[in-house]
Amino acid sequence: MPPGMIMTRTLSGESMRDMRAVLPDEVNKNITVQGQGDQPLEPTLENGYKVFHLEANVFKWNILPNKSVDAYGFNGQVPGPRIRIKEGDHIKINVTNHLPEPTTVHWHGLILDNEMDGAGEITQRPIQPGETFTYTFDAVQSGMYFYHSHYATDRQQSLGLYGMLMIDPKDKNQVPEHDVEAVVSLQEWLIRDGLTFPAMSMEGAFPNYFTINGKSFPATETIKMKVGQKALIRFVGSNNNFIHPMHIHGGPFEVIAQDGEPLPSSARYKADTVNVGPGQRFDVIWIARKPGKWLIHCHIPHHTTNDNVEVQGGGGLMMILDVSE
Ligand SMILES: [Cu+2]
C-alpha cells in the first residue's frame, strides 16, 4: 500500500484491490526498450468492414531511456496503436484480453449501439482473461477521439490502457490547412520502490511521472517545422487525474475543434493555454512565427519534472517544436 493512505476501521480489502502495484512477474509480453506508442494500426478488409485487432497485455514500457513502468497496454504500446479511420467506415475491432483481470474497451465520444459502448458490467459482461470480444460500429462522426478501458478504469486506464482513435472527415475542408500534425496524449504514472502503482487522485497515490505519447521529456518527440508553417496539435486528456493547462511558447494558437467537433469559424478563438481535462480533446493550429526551440508544456511546473527532478530544462509533460528558417 502506498504510504500516506488513511486507513480506517472500515477500509475494506476490496478498496485495496484496484490500487495494488503491477507485479513484475505478471509481465507477459516483451517490448524493445526503444518502443514507441501510438503507431498506426493497419486493418484487414472483410466483407466491407475494416477489422482491427487489439490485444491487452502486461509489459515493461520505457517512459525514459533509464526508467520503465510495468504497464497494462494494447499491442505492446503506450498509448495503444492509433486507429485511424474515415467517416462512413464500417468497423470491427477484436479485443483479446491477456491481462490478469477482466477488461473492456470504451470508444470515447462515439455514437454507437449501447451494447458496443464497452461500459463494463453496465453494457457488457467484462472480457475475461483469455477471451476475445468483437466491437462493431459505423463511423458516423469525424475528428479526434480515443479509446480506453472502462472496467476498473481507475486502475486500468492509469496503467496504460488507452489509445488514439482518429476519424478523417469525408469533407477534407473541415480540417484547416496545416503542414504538420501532432498528437499530444497525456498520462500520469506512479513509480515507487521500483513498482508501478496506478496513479490516483488520492493521498498516497499521486503521480510522480508524466508522459506525452508514452514518454517523459526529454524522451518526448521533437516536431520539426519551418518558419511560416502551421502545426495541427491535438491535445488528448487520456489521463485520469489532473486538468493540465497545456501551453505553447512563441505566440497564441487558434482553437479549431473540441471533443472531435469542429468549431464554426465564429466560435474559434485564440489562446496560448488550454485546460485539458480527463476525457477532453482540443485541436489547435499553431503558426511557427520565428525560428528556434519552442516548448509545448503543462503549466503546472511539477508536471514538467521526473520524480520531482528537472532534467535538461524540464521533464514530464514537455516537448519541443524545433523551427528552422
Ligand atoms: Cu499538468
Side-chain angles (χ1 to χ4, degrees):
M1 183 182 66
M5 182 175 171
I6 298 163
M7 288 198 298
T8 62
R9 190 167 59 86
T10 54
L11 185 73
S12 66
E14 187 76 355
S15 72
M16 307 285 290
R17 187 193 61 186
D18 284 352
M19 56 189 284
R20 74 171 178 86
V22 179
L23 301 176
D25 65 8
E26 289 172 321
V27 168
N28 58 13
K29 188 177 176 76
N30 288 322
I31 302 299
T32 64
V33 173
Q34 295 83 12
Q36 295 292 324
D38 192 31
Q39 298 301 300
L41 185 61
E42 292 305 323
T44 55
L45 290 173
E46 292 171 26
N47 303 322
Y49 284 87
K50 286 184 179 170
V51 182
F52 295 88
H53 297 272
L54 291 177
E55 210 181 88
N57 279 93
V58 187
F59 50 89
K60 278 204 177 301
W61 179 255
N62 276 75
I63 59 172
L64 287 161
N66 60 352
K67 182 60 71 179
S68 64
V69 294
D70 295 320
Y72 283 11
F74 294 108
N75 297 22
Q77 300 175 35
V78 180
R82 179 182 298 191
I83 296 177
R84 187 158 202 164
I85 56 181
K86 287 197 174 64
E87 183 183 357
D89 279 349
H90 308 294
I91 302 299
K92 280 187 184 173
I93 304 174
N94 300 316
V95 178
T96 300
N97 180 11
H98 294 302
L99 302 172
E101 56 192 90
T103 193
T104 64
V105 180
H106 170 60
W107 315 95
H108 184 102
L110 292 199
I111 299 168
L112 37 58
D113 292 337
N114 188 240
E115 61 269 28
M116 293 295 134
D117 200 38
E121 291 184 359
I122 308 291
T123 62
Q124 74 170 97
R125 174 179 166 269
I127 310 165
Q128 301 300 308
E131 285 185 358
T132 297
F133 184 88
T134 301
Y135 293 92
T136 182
F137 57 84
D138 294 335
V140 296
Q141 297 149 282
S142 65
M144 188 72 218
Y145 296 86
F146 73 112
Y147 58 90
H148 62 83
S149 160
H150 212 300
Y151 181 75
T153 318
D154 196 17
R155 168 178 182 77
Q156 295 189 0
Q157 193 178 338
S158 270
L159 290 173
L161 285 169
Y162 62 94
M164 302 302 107
L165 174 57
M166 297 161 81
I167 311 176
D168 291 319
K170 278 183 182 160
D171 173 12
K172 286 206 174 80
N173 296 323
Q174 207 171 299
V175 182
E177 264 178 45
H178 56 276
D179 304 287
V180 298
E181 179 186 58
V183 168
V184 178
S185 162
L186 309 176
Q187 177 66 322
E188 302 137 352
W189 303 91
L190 172 58
I191 309 173
R192 184 179 287 143
D193 300 332
L195 294 173
T196 304
F197 294 83
M200 295 176 177
S201 290
M202 180 182 76
E203 191 175 352
F206 286 115
N208 58 350
Y209 286 90
F210 306 86
T211 55
I212 291 174
N213 304 339
K215 304 289 172 183
S216 300
F217 184 86
T220 49
E221 188 191 356
T222 291
I223 298 162
K224 299 244 184 235
M225 296 179 70
K226 292 204 180 310
V227 169
Q229 285 191 324
K230 291 178 179 172
L232 169 59
I233 296 167
R234 314 184 100 161
F235 293 108
V236 182
S238 44
N239 55 303
N240 269 11
N241 301 295
F242 288 101
I243 297 165
H244 296 286
M246 297 304 296
H247 172 56
I248 307 183
H249 287 203
F253 47 74
E254 187 174 35
V255 181
I256 59 149
Q258 183 175 340
D259 296 343
E261 295 292 335
L263 298 176
S265 49
S266 59
R268 293 179 184 182
Y269 60 96
K270 287 192 174 168
D272 58 36
T273 308
V274 274
N275 288 327
V276 183
Q280 289 192 298
R281 284 90 63 220
F282 289 91
D283 291 357
V284 310
I285 297 278
W286 181 84
I287 299 173
R289 296 172 178 86
K290 289 174 183 284
K293 289 185 166 67
W294 303 103
L295 287 175
I296 302 176
H297 70 88
C298 176
H299 222 287
I300 296 174
H302 183 62
H303 299 171
T304 56
T305 64
N306 299 331
D307 201 18
N308 312 328
V309 179
E310 263 198 21
V311 185
Q312 296 174 32
L317 300 182
M318 180 179 275
M319 63 192 292
I320 292 172
L321 295 155
D322 189 1
V323 179
S324 57
E325 294 277 8

mmCIF file of all heavy atoms in Angstrom, residues 273-317:
data_model
loop_
_atom_site.group_PDB
_atom_site.id
_atom_site.type_symbol
_atom_site.label_atom_id
_atom_site.label_comp_id
_atom_site.label_asym_id
_atom_site.label_seq_id
_atom_site.Cartn_x
_atom_site.Cartn_y
_atom_site.Cartn_z
ATOM 1 N N THR A 273 -2.975 28.950 -23.832
ATOM 2 C CA THR A 273 -3.062 27.850 -22.872
ATOM 3 C C THR A 273 -4.481 27.293 -22.938
ATOM 4 O O THR A 273 -5.436 28.070 -22.965
ATOM 5 C CB THR A 273 -2.795 28.369 -21.434
ATOM 6 O OG1 THR A 273 -1.562 29.101 -21.430
ATOM 7 C CG2 THR A 273 -2.709 27.241 -20.425
ATOM 8 N N VAL A 274 -4.603 25.971 -22.981
ATOM 9 C CA VAL A 274 -5.933 25.351 -22.853
ATOM 10 C C VAL A 274 -5.890 24.350 -21.707
ATOM 11 O O VAL A 274 -4.928 23.596 -21.569
ATOM 12 C CB VAL A 274 -6.408 24.592 -24.118
ATOM 13 C CG1 VAL A 274 -7.088 25.516 -25.088
ATOM 14 C CG2 VAL A 274 -5.291 23.802 -24.768
ATOM 15 N N ASN A 275 -6.944 24.364 -20.895
ATOM 16 C CA ASN A 275 -7.054 23.396 -19.807
ATOM 17 C C ASN A 275 -7.594 22.096 -20.378
ATOM 18 O O ASN A 275 -8.742 22.030 -20.799
ATOM 19 C CB ASN A 275 -8.005 23.912 -18.726
ATOM 20 C CG ASN A 275 -7.393 25.048 -17.936
ATOM 21 O OD1 ASN A 275 -6.183 25.076 -17.722
ATOM 22 N ND2 ASN A 275 -8.207 25.987 -17.515
ATOM 23 N N VAL A 276 -6.742 21.082 -20.397
ATOM 24 C CA VAL A 276 -7.137 19.792 -20.966
ATOM 25 C C VAL A 276 -7.497 18.858 -19.808
ATOM 26 O O VAL A 276 -6.620 18.380 -19.089
ATOM 27 C CB VAL A 276 -6.004 19.196 -21.821
ATOM 28 C CG1 VAL A 276 -6.459 17.888 -22.461
ATOM 29 C CG2 VAL A 276 -5.545 20.191 -22.885
ATOM 30 N N GLY A 277 -8.776 18.659 -19.611
ATOM 31 C CA GLY A 277 -9.239 17.781 -18.532
ATOM 32 C C GLY A 277 -9.319 16.348 -19.010
ATOM 33 O O GLY A 277 -9.360 16.080 -20.215
ATOM 34 N N PRO A 278 -9.359 15.393 -18.055
ATOM 35 C CA PRO A 278 -9.510 13.993 -18.437
ATOM 36 C C PRO A 278 -10.715 13.811 -19.366
ATOM 37 O O PRO A 278 -11.816 14.290 -19.069
ATOM 38 C CB PRO A 278 -9.723 13.288 -17.098
ATOM 39 C CG PRO A 278 -8.974 14.141 -16.128
ATOM 40 C CD PRO A 278 -9.195 15.555 -16.600
ATOM 41 N N GLY A 279 -10.490 13.161 -20.500
ATOM 42 C CA GLY A 279 -11.557 12.905 -21.466
ATOM 43 C C GLY A 279 -11.664 13.944 -22.562
ATOM 44 O O GLY A 279 -12.266 13.682 -23.603
ATOM 45 N N GLN A 280 -11.093 15.144 -22.353
ATOM 46 C CA GLN A 280 -11.266 16.211 -23.343
ATOM 47 C C GLN A 280 -10.247 16.127 -24.471
ATOM 48 O O GLN A 280 -9.148 15.605 -24.299
ATOM 49 C CB GLN A 280 -11.123 17.578 -22.668
ATOM 50 C CG GLN A 280 -12.280 17.927 -21.757
ATOM 51 C CD GLN A 280 -12.238 19.383 -21.347
ATOM 52 O OE1 GLN A 280 -11.287 19.819 -20.712
ATOM 53 N NE2 GLN A 280 -13.269 20.133 -21.709
ATOM 54 N N ARG A 281 -10.632 16.658 -25.641
ATOM 55 C CA ARG A 281 -9.690 16.861 -26.742
ATOM 56 C C ARG A 281 -9.839 18.278 -27.257
ATOM 57 O O ARG A 281 -10.956 18.792 -27.386
ATOM 58 C CB ARG A 281 -9.945 15.894 -27.914
ATOM 59 C CG ARG A 281 -9.463 14.472 -27.655
ATOM 60 C CD ARG A 281 -10.521 13.615 -27.034
ATOM 61 N NE ARG A 281 -11.669 13.461 -27.902
ATOM 62 C CZ ARG A 281 -12.938 13.475 -27.468
ATOM 63 N NH1 ARG A 281 -13.215 13.641 -26.193
ATOM 64 N NH2 ARG A 281 -13.932 13.313 -28.320
ATOM 65 N N PHE A 282 -8.703 18.908 -27.535
ATOM 66 C CA PHE A 282 -8.672 20.222 -28.169
ATOM 67 C C PHE A 282 -7.736 20.151 -29.370
ATOM 68 O O PHE A 282 -6.586 19.727 -29.230
ATOM 69 C CB PHE A 282 -8.145 21.296 -27.201
ATOM 70 C CG PHE A 282 -9.096 21.631 -26.084
ATOM 71 C CD1 PHE A 282 -9.037 20.956 -24.876
ATOM 72 C CD2 PHE A 282 -10.057 22.623 -26.241
ATOM 73 C CE1 PHE A 282 -9.914 21.250 -23.842
ATOM 74 C CE2 PHE A 282 -10.936 22.932 -25.211
ATOM 75 C CZ PHE A 282 -10.868 22.242 -24.008
ATOM 76 N N ASP A 283 -8.234 20.560 -30.546
ATOM 77 C CA ASP A 283 -7.376 20.691 -31.727
ATOM 78 C C ASP A 283 -7.039 22.159 -31.880
ATOM 79 O O ASP A 283 -7.953 23.007 -31.891
ATOM 80 C CB ASP A 283 -8.104 20.235 -32.993
ATOM 81 C CG ASP A 283 -8.351 18.735 -33.028
ATOM 82 O OD1 ASP A 283 -7.904 18.034 -32.098
ATOM 83 O OD2 ASP A 283 -8.991 18.276 -33.986
ATOM 84 N N VAL A 284 -5.747 22.468 -32.018
ATOM 85 C CA VAL A 284 -5.336 23.863 -32.168
ATOM 86 C C VAL A 284 -4.372 23.983 -33.345
ATOM 87 O O VAL A 284 -3.677 23.024 -33.699
ATOM 88 C CB VAL A 284 -4.672 24.415 -30.873
ATOM 89 C CG1 VAL A 284 -5.537 24.119 -29.655
ATOM 90 C CG2 VAL A 284 -3.263 23.879 -30.670
ATOM 91 N N ILE A 285 -4.377 25.162 -33.964
ATOM 92 C CA ILE A 285 -3.415 25.458 -35.034
ATOM 93 C C ILE A 285 -2.414 26.473 -34.490
ATOM 94 O O ILE A 285 -2.800 27.544 -33.996
ATOM 95 C CB ILE A 285 -4.125 26.056 -36.273
ATOM 96 C CG1 ILE A 285 -5.104 25.050 -36.881
ATOM 97 C CG2 ILE A 285 -3.090 26.539 -37.299
ATOM 98 C CD1 ILE A 285 -4.488 24.006 -37.793
ATOM 99 N N TRP A 286 -1.139 26.108 -34.558
ATOM 100 C CA TRP A 286 -0.053 26.980 -34.087
ATOM 101 C C TRP A 286 0.836 27.312 -35.275
ATOM 102 O O TRP A 286 1.226 26.416 -36.034
ATOM 103 C CB TRP A 286 0.755 26.277 -33.002
ATOM 104 C CG TRP A 286 1.876 27.074 -32.409
ATOM 105 C CD1 TRP A 286 1.793 27.994 -31.399
ATOM 106 C CD2 TRP A 286 3.273 27.008 -32.756
ATOM 107 N NE1 TRP A 286 3.032 28.506 -31.105
ATOM 108 C CE2 TRP A 286 3.957 27.921 -31.926
ATOM 109 C CE3 TRP A 286 4.005 26.271 -33.699
ATOM 110 C CZ2 TRP A 286 5.344 28.115 -31.999
ATOM 111 C CZ3 TRP A 286 5.375 26.463 -33.775
ATOM 112 C CH2 TRP A 286 6.030 27.377 -32.928
ATOM 113 N N ILE A 287 1.116 28.601 -35.441
ATOM 114 C CA ILE A 287 1.961 29.042 -36.557
ATOM 115 C C ILE A 287 3.382 29.259 -36.056
ATOM 116 O O ILE A 287 3.593 29.912 -35.019
ATOM 117 C CB ILE A 287 1.417 30.348 -37.171
ATOM 118 C CG1 ILE A 287 -0.003 30.118 -37.714
ATOM 119 C CG2 ILE A 287 2.333 30.860 -38.279
ATOM 120 C CD1 ILE A 287 -0.690 31.386 -38.185
ATOM 121 N N ALA A 288 4.350 28.721 -36.799
ATOM 122 C CA ALA A 288 5.768 28.916 -36.456
ATOM 123 C C ALA A 288 6.171 30.315 -36.927
ATOM 124 O O ALA A 288 6.451 30.526 -38.104
ATOM 125 C CB ALA A 288 6.623 27.842 -37.118
ATOM 126 N N ARG A 289 6.163 31.258 -36.001
ATOM 127 C CA ARG A 289 6.413 32.659 -36.378
ATOM 128 C C ARG A 289 7.897 32.979 -36.473
ATOM 129 O O ARG A 289 8.309 33.793 -37.291
ATOM 130 C CB ARG A 289 5.757 33.593 -35.359
ATOM 131 C CG ARG A 289 4.235 33.487 -35.307
ATOM 132 C CD ARG A 289 3.686 34.302 -34.143
ATOM 133 N NE ARG A 289 2.229 34.279 -34.082
ATOM 134 C CZ ARG A 289 1.505 33.347 -33.474
ATOM 135 N NH1 ARG A 289 2.103 32.326 -32.879
ATOM 136 N NH2 ARG A 289 0.192 33.418 -33.458
ATOM 137 N N LYS A 290 8.685 32.385 -35.588
ATOM 138 C CA LYS A 290 10.112 32.689 -35.524
ATOM 139 C C LYS A 290 10.890 31.393 -35.328
ATOM 140 O O LYS A 290 10.368 30.444 -34.745
ATOM 141 C CB LYS A 290 10.406 33.642 -34.348
ATOM 142 C CG LYS A 290 9.899 35.069 -34.549
ATOM 143 C CD LYS A 290 10.109 35.898 -33.284
ATOM 144 C CE LYS A 290 9.553 37.304 -33.441
ATOM 145 N NZ LYS A 290 10.422 38.163 -34.279
ATOM 146 N N PRO A 291 12.143 31.378 -35.805
ATOM 147 C CA PRO A 291 12.938 30.152 -35.643
ATOM 148 C C PRO A 291 13.342 29.933 -34.186
ATOM 149 O O PRO A 291 13.363 30.869 -33.390
ATOM 150 C CB PRO A 291 14.169 30.415 -36.520
ATOM 151 C CG PRO A 291 14.281 31.898 -36.607
ATOM 152 C CD PRO A 291 12.879 32.444 -36.502
ATOM 153 N N GLY A 292 13.649 28.691 -33.870
ATOM 154 C CA GLY A 292 14.139 28.368 -32.533
ATOM 155 C C GLY A 292 13.406 27.183 -31.943
ATOM 156 O O GLY A 292 12.620 26.516 -32.614
ATOM 157 N N LYS A 293 13.718 26.927 -30.680
ATOM 158 C CA LYS A 293 13.092 25.806 -29.971
ATOM 159 C C LYS A 293 11.946 26.348 -29.121
ATOM 160 O O LYS A 293 12.173 27.077 -28.151
ATOM 161 C CB LYS A 293 14.127 25.098 -29.092
ATOM 162 C CG LYS A 293 15.161 24.308 -29.879
ATOM 163 C CD LYS A 293 16.074 23.546 -28.932
ATOM 164 C CE LYS A 293 16.895 22.502 -29.663
ATOM 165 N NZ LYS A 293 17.880 23.086 -30.586
ATOM 166 N N TRP A 294 10.729 26.000 -29.493
ATOM 167 C CA TRP A 294 9.535 26.480 -28.795
ATOM 168 C C TRP A 294 8.894 25.314 -28.056
ATOM 169 O O TRP A 294 8.725 24.233 -28.609
ATOM 170 C CB TRP A 294 8.561 27.098 -29.806
ATOM 171 C CG TRP A 294 9.188 28.204 -30.590
ATOM 172 C CD1 TRP A 294 9.636 28.158 -31.879
ATOM 173 C CD2 TRP A 294 9.476 29.526 -30.119
ATOM 174 N NE1 TRP A 294 10.172 29.365 -32.243
ATOM 175 C CE2 TRP A 294 10.092 30.227 -31.182
ATOM 176 C CE3 TRP A 294 9.271 30.194 -28.906
ATOM 177 C CZ2 TRP A 294 10.512 31.556 -31.069
ATOM 178 C CZ3 TRP A 294 9.677 31.510 -28.791
ATOM 179 C CH2 TRP A 294 10.288 32.178 -29.862
ATOM 180 N N LEU A 295 8.538 25.583 -26.793
ATOM 181 C CA LEU A 295 8.049 24.496 -25.937
ATOM 182 C C LEU A 295 6.532 24.344 -25.998
ATOM 183 O O LEU A 295 5.803 25.339 -26.084
ATOM 184 C CB LEU A 295 8.431 24.766 -24.475
ATOM 185 C CG LEU A 295 9.902 24.597 -24.104
ATOM 186 C CD1 LEU A 295 10.112 25.014 -22.647
ATOM 187 C CD2 LEU A 295 10.345 23.153 -24.316
ATOM 188 N N ILE A 296 6.093 23.098 -25.931
ATOM 189 C CA ILE A 296 4.722 22.757 -25.536
ATOM 190 C C ILE A 296 4.862 22.147 -24.152
ATOM 191 O O ILE A 296 5.645 21.207 -23.981
ATOM 192 C CB ILE A 296 4.099 21.700 -26.469
ATOM 193 C CG1 ILE A 296 4.095 22.171 -27.919
ATOM 194 C CG2 ILE A 296 2.694 21.328 -26.001
ATOM 195 C CD1 ILE A 296 3.569 21.105 -28.899
ATOM 196 N N HIS A 297 4.147 22.686 -23.158
ATOM 197 C CA HIS A 297 4.273 22.067 -21.835
ATOM 198 C C HIS A 297 3.068 22.352 -20.964
ATOM 199 O O HIS A 297 2.337 23.320 -21.174
ATOM 200 C CB HIS A 297 5.559 22.544 -21.136
ATOM 201 C CG HIS A 297 5.548 23.985 -20.707
ATOM 202 N ND1 HIS A 297 5.071 24.385 -19.479
ATOM 203 C CD2 HIS A 297 5.949 25.107 -21.342
ATOM 204 C CE1 HIS A 297 5.195 25.703 -19.377
ATOM 205 N NE2 HIS A 297 5.713 26.176 -20.493
ATOM 206 N N CYS A 298 2.879 21.500 -19.963
ATOM 207 C CA CYS A 298 1.877 21.747 -18.932
ATOM 208 C C CYS A 298 2.357 22.891 -18.063
ATOM 209 O O CYS A 298 3.548 22.996 -17.760
ATOM 210 C CB CYS A 298 1.659 20.500 -18.084
ATOM 211 S SG CYS A 298 0.515 20.806 -16.725
ATOM 212 N N HIS A 299 1.414 23.760 -17.650
ATOM 213 C CA HIS A 299 1.816 24.920 -16.858
ATOM 214 C C HIS A 299 1.715 24.689 -15.360
ATOM 215 O O HIS A 299 1.836 25.625 -14.565
ATOM 216 C CB HIS A 299 1.048 26.172 -17.285
ATOM 217 C CG HIS A 299 1.939 27.371 -17.356
ATOM 218 N ND1 HIS A 299 2.430 28.000 -16.229
ATOM 219 C CD2 HIS A 299 2.478 28.017 -18.414
ATOM 220 C CE1 HIS A 299 3.207 29.000 -16.603
ATOM 221 N NE2 HIS A 299 3.257 29.027 -17.922
ATOM 222 N N ILE A 300 1.506 23.453 -14.942
ATOM 223 C CA ILE A 300 1.718 23.099 -13.533
ATOM 224 C C ILE A 300 3.149 22.575 -13.479
ATOM 225 O O ILE A 300 3.436 21.468 -13.956
ATOM 226 C CB ILE A 300 0.707 22.030 -13.063
ATOM 227 C CG1 ILE A 300 -0.708 22.611 -13.128
ATOM 228 C CG2 ILE A 300 1.043 21.556 -11.649
ATOM 229 C CD1 ILE A 300 -1.814 21.611 -12.820
ATOM 230 N N PRO A 301 4.082 23.394 -12.958
ATOM 231 C CA PRO A 301 5.505 23.049 -13.131
ATOM 232 C C PRO A 301 5.893 21.680 -12.568
ATOM 233 O O PRO A 301 6.808 21.045 -13.076
ATOM 234 C CB PRO A 301 6.234 24.185 -12.406
ATOM 235 C CG PRO A 301 5.271 25.327 -12.443
ATOM 236 C CD PRO A 301 3.901 24.703 -12.322
ATOM 237 N N HIS A 302 5.179 21.208 -11.558
ATOM 238 C CA HIS A 302 5.516 19.877 -11.034
ATOM 239 C C HIS A 302 5.308 18.801 -12.102
ATOM 240 O O HIS A 302 5.961 17.751 -12.069
ATOM 241 C CB HIS A 302 4.679 19.562 -9.795
ATOM 242 C CG HIS A 302 5.030 18.249 -9.171
ATOM 243 N ND1 HIS A 302 6.282 17.991 -8.647
ATOM 244 C CD2 HIS A 302 4.319 17.102 -9.029
ATOM 245 C CE1 HIS A 302 6.315 16.749 -8.193
ATOM 246 N NE2 HIS A 302 5.136 16.185 -8.417
ATOM 247 N N HIS A 303 4.408 19.075 -13.050
ATOM 248 C CA HIS A 303 4.135 18.090 -14.105
ATOM 249 C C HIS A 303 5.185 18.121 -15.210
ATOM 250 O O HIS A 303 5.101 17.350 -16.162
ATOM 251 C CB HIS A 303 2.734 18.317 -14.696
ATOM 252 C CG HIS A 303 1.640 18.156 -13.682
ATOM 253 N ND1 HIS A 303 0.332 18.472 -13.931
ATOM 254 C CD2 HIS A 303 1.688 17.691 -12.398
ATOM 255 C CE1 HIS A 303 -0.394 18.222 -12.845
ATOM 256 N NE2 HIS A 303 0.404 17.758 -11.906
ATOM 257 N N THR A 304 6.153 19.048 -15.082
ATOM 258 C CA THR A 304 7.291 19.050 -16.011
ATOM 259 C C THR A 304 8.570 18.692 -15.254
ATOM 260 O O THR A 304 9.642 19.244 -15.487
ATOM 261 C CB THR A 304 7.435 20.403 -16.739
ATOM 262 O OG1 THR A 304 7.537 21.448 -15.770
ATOM 263 C CG2 THR A 304 6.238 20.665 -17.634
ATOM 264 N N THR A 305 8.407 17.752 -14.303
ATOM 265 C CA THR A 305 9.561 17.152 -13.628
ATOM 266 C C THR A 305 9.416 15.636 -13.721
ATOM 267 O O THR A 305 8.320 15.118 -13.957
ATOM 268 C CB THR A 305 9.629 17.536 -12.131
ATOM 269 O OG1 THR A 305 8.484 16.994 -11.452
ATOM 270 C CG2 THR A 305 9.658 19.045 -11.941
ATOM 271 N N ASN A 306 10.550 14.955 -13.545
ATOM 272 C CA ASN A 306 10.548 13.495 -13.481
ATOM 273 C C ASN A 306 10.918 13.099 -12.055
ATOM 274 O O ASN A 306 12.053 13.312 -11.639
ATOM 275 C CB ASN A 306 11.553 12.908 -14.481
ATOM 276 C CG ASN A 306 11.203 13.281 -15.915
ATOM 277 O OD1 ASN A 306 10.026 13.482 -16.239
ATOM 278 N ND2 ASN A 306 12.211 13.394 -16.764
ATOM 279 N N ASP A 307 9.962 12.591 -11.304
ATOM 280 C CA ASP A 307 10.169 12.263 -9.894
ATOM 281 C C ASP A 307 10.755 13.473 -9.159
ATOM 282 O O ASP A 307 11.751 13.362 -8.442
ATOM 283 C CB ASP A 307 11.076 11.035 -9.751
ATOM 284 C CG ASP A 307 10.915 10.371 -8.389
ATOM 285 O OD1 ASP A 307 9.908 10.634 -7.707
ATOM 286 O OD2 ASP A 307 11.814 9.590 -8.013
ATOM 287 N N ASN A 308 10.152 14.628 -9.390
ATOM 288 C CA ASN A 308 10.494 15.912 -8.744
ATOM 289 C C ASN A 308 11.769 16.557 -9.269
ATOM 290 O O ASN A 308 12.192 17.580 -8.737
ATOM 291 C CB ASN A 308 10.628 15.783 -7.211
ATOM 292 C CG ASN A 308 9.468 15.052 -6.580
ATOM 293 O OD1 ASN A 308 8.340 15.141 -7.071
ATOM 294 N ND2 ASN A 308 9.728 14.332 -5.519
ATOM 295 N N VAL A 309 12.391 15.979 -10.285
ATOM 296 C CA VAL A 309 13.682 16.487 -10.754
ATOM 297 C C VAL A 309 13.548 17.024 -12.177
ATOM 298 O O VAL A 309 12.932 16.375 -13.032
ATOM 299 C CB VAL A 309 14.753 15.362 -10.725
ATOM 300 C CG1 VAL A 309 16.096 15.878 -11.233
ATOM 301 C CG2 VAL A 309 14.891 14.805 -9.316
ATOM 302 N N GLU A 310 14.115 18.216 -12.413
ATOM 303 C CA GLU A 310 14.202 18.742 -13.779
ATOM 304 C C GLU A 310 15.425 18.163 -14.467
ATOM 305 O O GLU A 310 16.509 18.138 -13.893
ATOM 306 C CB GLU A 310 14.330 20.272 -13.760
ATOM 307 C CG GLU A 310 13.014 20.982 -13.956
ATOM 308 C CD GLU A 310 13.179 22.438 -14.378
ATOM 309 O OE1 GLU A 310 14.247 22.801 -14.902
ATOM 310 O OE2 GLU A 310 12.222 23.202 -14.172
ATOM 311 N N VAL A 311 15.235 17.689 -15.706
ATOM 312 C CA VAL A 311 16.323 17.098 -16.487
ATOM 313 C C VAL A 311 16.418 17.863 -17.801
ATOM 314 O O VAL A 311 15.420 17.984 -18.509
ATOM 315 C CB VAL A 311 16.025 15.609 -16.799
ATOM 316 C CG1 VAL A 311 17.203 14.966 -17.513
ATOM 317 C CG2 VAL A 311 15.675 14.844 -15.542
ATOM 318 N N GLN A 312 17.577 18.385 -18.137
ATOM 319 C CA GLN A 312 17.771 19.113 -19.405
ATOM 320 C C GLN A 312 16.683 20.169 -19.615
ATOM 321 O O GLN A 312 16.133 20.305 -20.702
ATOM 322 C CB GLN A 312 17.800 18.149 -20.593
ATOM 323 C CG GLN A 312 18.971 17.169 -20.561
ATOM 324 C CD GLN A 312 18.885 16.131 -21.681
ATOM 325 O OE1 GLN A 312 18.379 16.404 -22.764
ATOM 326 N NE2 GLN A 312 19.398 14.942 -21.423
ATOM 327 N N GLY A 313 16.343 20.895 -18.537
ATOM 328 C CA GLY A 313 15.411 22.010 -18.685
ATOM 329 C C GLY A 313 13.957 21.673 -18.447
ATOM 330 O O GLY A 313 13.088 22.534 -18.633
ATOM 331 N N GLY A 314 13.681 20.469 -18.035
ATOM 332 C CA GLY A 314 12.279 20.135 -17.768
ATOM 333 C C GLY A 314 12.108 18.667 -17.490
ATOM 334 O O GLY A 314 12.985 18.001 -16.951
ATOM 335 N N GLY A 315 10.939 18.148 -17.886
ATOM 336 C CA GLY A 315 10.618 16.742 -17.671
ATOM 337 C C GLY A 315 9.149 16.547 -17.985
ATOM 338 O O GLY A 315 8.456 17.492 -18.371
ATOM 339 N N GLY A 316 8.691 15.327 -17.834
ATOM 340 C CA GLY A 316 7.265 15.030 -17.920
ATOM 341 C C GLY A 316 6.576 15.602 -19.135
ATOM 342 O O GLY A 316 6.948 15.311 -20.276
ATOM 343 N N LEU A 317 5.561 16.441 -18.873
ATOM 344 C CA LEU A 317 4.676 16.938 -19.931
ATOM 345 C C LEU A 317 5.309 18.122 -20.650
ATOM 346 O O LEU A 317 4.894 19.278 -20.482
ATOM 347 C CB LEU A 317 3.320 17.331 -19.353
ATOM 348 C CG LEU A 317 2.549 16.209 -18.652
ATOM 349 C CD1 LEU A 317 1.194 16.709 -18.174
ATOM 350 C CD2 LEU A 317 2.387 15.001 -19.568
#
